[in-house]
Amino acid sequence: MKLGREAVKKHLSCEQYSRLSEYAESDIIIVPSFTDVHVHLREPGFFYKETVKTGTAAAAASGYSHIFGMPNLNPVPDCLENLKKELEIINADAYISVIPYGAITKGELGRELAQFEEMAPYVCGFSDDGVGLNDEALMREAMLRAKNLGKIIAAHCEDMELRSKGYIHDGEYARLHGHMGISSESEWKPIERDIRLAKETGCSFHVCHISTKESVDIIRRAKKDGADISCETAPHYLILNDMCLEEDGRFKMNPPIRSEEDRLALIEGLKDGTIDIIATDHAPHTAEEKSRGLRDSAMGIVGLETCFPLMYTNFVRTGIISLEKLIELMCTNPRKRFGLDEIDILDNFSVWEIRDEYEIRPERFKSMGRATPFAGKKVYGRCMLNVVDGFKLYEDIGGGRD
């Protein structure tokens, strides 16, 4: 369903609508509000990196109506008591809808399953994001429990032994600069195993932040075989390769930015439907934690405030995918996969100015995180308005960015 300016008008003052009317039809797009299935809001436990308030403010200013909160918190949401601490903060401070994940294992330690049954009514699924679950028997039992509860297992697929001491991609840049590499096998081998377990148990399985060409091939084959599987990737894996790295913590995340061959395979996966969802893996850290170079900085970058502009600029404007395809990846598919109702576009939409190019400037982010490999990059797509459930949550019509 397409939305015209008249539908937007009821949410604006006369002055705001007048300013909006100064833009030509070709300068504005109106799209359904987005859903991000992979966001780190850092509360409870790590409020010095991000808070629910600042993270959801960043999301509201970036066209989102729903985000899913990852469970690597303190305390870890591995039982209802711990989950309630997170839900209390969300209910008090969130600007948009935040649906948390419950942990797969207690403390995300990979030794004993979390209390799935009591958390199930309140979570979007179960994940131990940040660490891989190497214990095959424990993952099989987790999938059986999730299936019985009608919930998804969303796995951070990483063999912690194969990763060893690596911290960037085991590729050309690592060899040239003397860095310890993370092998591609540390990602795709666990994906291969978990798909086998998902077929065996009948569990709905979602793979977080894929980054390798092998992962794309394995998931593509599994889908052809009828497996109940989906996956996501993030803009940085689609736009950058490991030769774009700099000796700066803002280029460090897990999984790492990989080779050009991997990047091109991900793009093909995006185009042919192997990759279902564009997520951000928004993972804020303090400036000090990201100031220690590639070897010693914390893993993770921010992404909520750059996701749509990066994808629109690099993929829609270039003709690699259509705007409709991007909306599928950022709105339709994540909602379908995780069982959210179809969005009412009359009350959940964002307005984007696409005429003027501007520079990504992290100091202007609403997120407390500032680390992004795209700082200083020129993009198109400035969020002018975000309406969620009929309420105007963000407005910057005519504000512009120099």
Side-chain angles (χ1 to χ4, degrees):
M1 178 181 183
K2 291 188 175 180
L3 201 63
R5 294 191 190 202
E6 285 303 308
V8 178
K9 187 175 183 179
K10 68 176 182 178
H11 299 285
L12 302 176
S13 67
C14 291
E15 181 183 355
Q16 289 167 335
Y17 187 72
S18 177
R19 291 204 305 270
L20 182 65
S21 299
E22 294 173 4
Y23 293 87
E25 289 292 334
S26 60
D27 297 336
I28 298 289
I29 55 174
I30 305 171
V31 298
S33 297
F34 311 133
T35 295
D36 190 343
V37 302
H38 195 139
V39 176
H40 299 266
L41 292 176
R42 304 302 192 199
E43 277 194 305
F46 305 100
F47 59 89
Y48 53 91
K49 299 174 186 273
E50 184 81 286
T51 66
V52 167
K53 183 172 288 187
T54 59
T56 57
S62 306
Y64 290 90
S65 62
H66 291 74
I67 56 178
F68 295 178
M70 305 313 293
N72 46 348
L73 304 168
N74 186 18
V76 172
D78 54 13
C79 62
L80 187 56
E81 180 183 358
N82 289 350
L83 178 63
K84 281 183 175 179
K85 292 173 182 167
E86 181 183 359
L87 290 171
E88 285 172 5
I89 300 171
I90 290 168
N91 292 335
D93 292 344
Y95 287 100
I96 66 172
S97 177
V98 178
I99 308 172
Y101 285 94
I104 296 174
T105 64
K106 291 185 178 181
E108 290 196 318
L109 296 175
R111 298 171 188 160
E112 183 181 356
L113 290 184
Q115 297 180 13
F116 280 33
E117 288 77 13
E118 65 179 21
M119 292 191 293
Y122 307 99
V123 300
C124 57
F126 298 97
S127 179
D128 267 6
D129 186 59
V131 290
L133 178 51
N134 280 14
D135 188 323
E136 180 172 328
L138 203 59
M139 179 59 94
R140 180 186 289 108
E141 179 61 26
M143 287 187 174
L144 287 169
R145 288 198 192 180
K147 175 178 170 51
N148 289 338
L149 294 166
K151 292 294 181 179
I152 283 178
I153 292 287
H156 172 107
C157 290
E158 181 178 27
D159 187 310
M160 306 305 287
E161 293 181 4
L162 287 174
R163 170 177 158 181
S164 187
K165 297 180 181 179
Y167 47 88
I168 66 170
H169 175 57
D170 185 17
E172 186 176 0
Y173 188 92
R175 289 188 290 273
L176 288 173
H177 297 272
H179 291 294
M180 298 288 288
I182 300 175
S183 70
S184 296
E185 189 179 13
S186 68
E187 174 179 301
W188 64 259
K189 284 289 283 186
I191 291 176
E192 200 170 52
R193 181 205 71 179
D194 286 350
I195 288 174
R196 172 171 54 81
L197 293 176
K199 289 179 178 179
E200 178 185 321
T201 61
C203 175
S204 296
F205 181 58
H206 178 74
V207 188
C208 297
H209 47 43
I210 68 168
S211 67
T212 76
K213 63 183 186 294
E214 293 90 352
S215 301
V216 177
D217 288 340
I218 290 165
I219 293 167
R220 182 183 286 121
R221 291 197 302 270
K223 286 188 168 188
K224 288 180 180 178
D225 290 343
D228 185 4
I229 181 174
S230 58
C231 68
E232 68 191 51
T233 195
H236 41 282
Y237 302 119
L238 295 163
I239 296 169
L240 303 174
N241 62 45
D242 66 328
M243 292 308 292
C244 298
L245 297 180
E246 298 177 17
E247 295 295 311
D248 190 309
R250 65 192 176 93
F251 288 86
K252 186 178 182 183
M253 71 290 293
N254 188 27
I257 294 166
R258 299 201 185 265
S259 72
E260 178 66 2
E261 191 176 359
D262 292 306
R263 187 184 77 87
L264 294 176
L266 290 168
I267 292 173
E268 286 306 307
L270 202 71
K271 291 163 66 176
D272 70 16
T274 301
I275 296 172
D276 306 270
I277 294 169
I278 295 296
T280 65
D281 194 3
H282 177 84
H285 294 286
T286 66
E288 194 279 329
E289 289 172 316
K290 296 298 288 182
S291 67
R292 306 167 191 163
L294 283 177
R295 188 183 69 179
D296 296 321
S297 288
M299 285 179 163
I301 61 172
V302 294
L304 285 168
E305 291 167 271
T306 58
C307 186
F308 182 80
L310 286 169
M311 292 302 301
Y312 179 79
T313 301
N314 289 277
F315 294 96
V316 176
R317 281 181 63 89
T318 57
I320 295 173
I321 62 172
S322 66
L323 177 61
E324 289 73 19
K325 176 68 172 178
L326 183 55
I327 298 310
E328 287 180 14
L329 293 161
M330 293 185 66
C331 176
T332 311
N333 290 352
R335 297 185 72 87
K336 281 184 179 178
R337 181 57 173 162
F338 284 83
L340 298 183
D341 293 336
E342 185 174 342
I343 200 164
D344 180 358
I345 193 173
L346 291 174
D347 284 325
N348 294 272
F349 63 87
S350 55
V351 180
W352 294 80
E353 185 269 307
I354 56 171
R355 174 185 63 188
D356 296 327
E357 187 180 42
Y358 69 93
E359 184 179 291
I360 292 174
R361 295 173 62 177
E363 67 271 17
R364 293 190 172 187
F365 289 169
K366 294 187 179 295
S367 169
M368 290 167 62
R370 298 289 185 266
T372 170
F374 300 107
K377 300 297 183 184
K378 296 290 186 70
V379 291
Y380 293 86
R382 178 177 64 83
C383 189
M384 306 174 75
L385 180 70
N386 189 19
V387 173
V388 176
D389 292 334
F391 294 95
K392 183 174 64 178
L393 296 188
Y394 178 77
E395 184 266 319
D396 185 26
I397 297 173
R401 298 182 181 179
D402 53 34

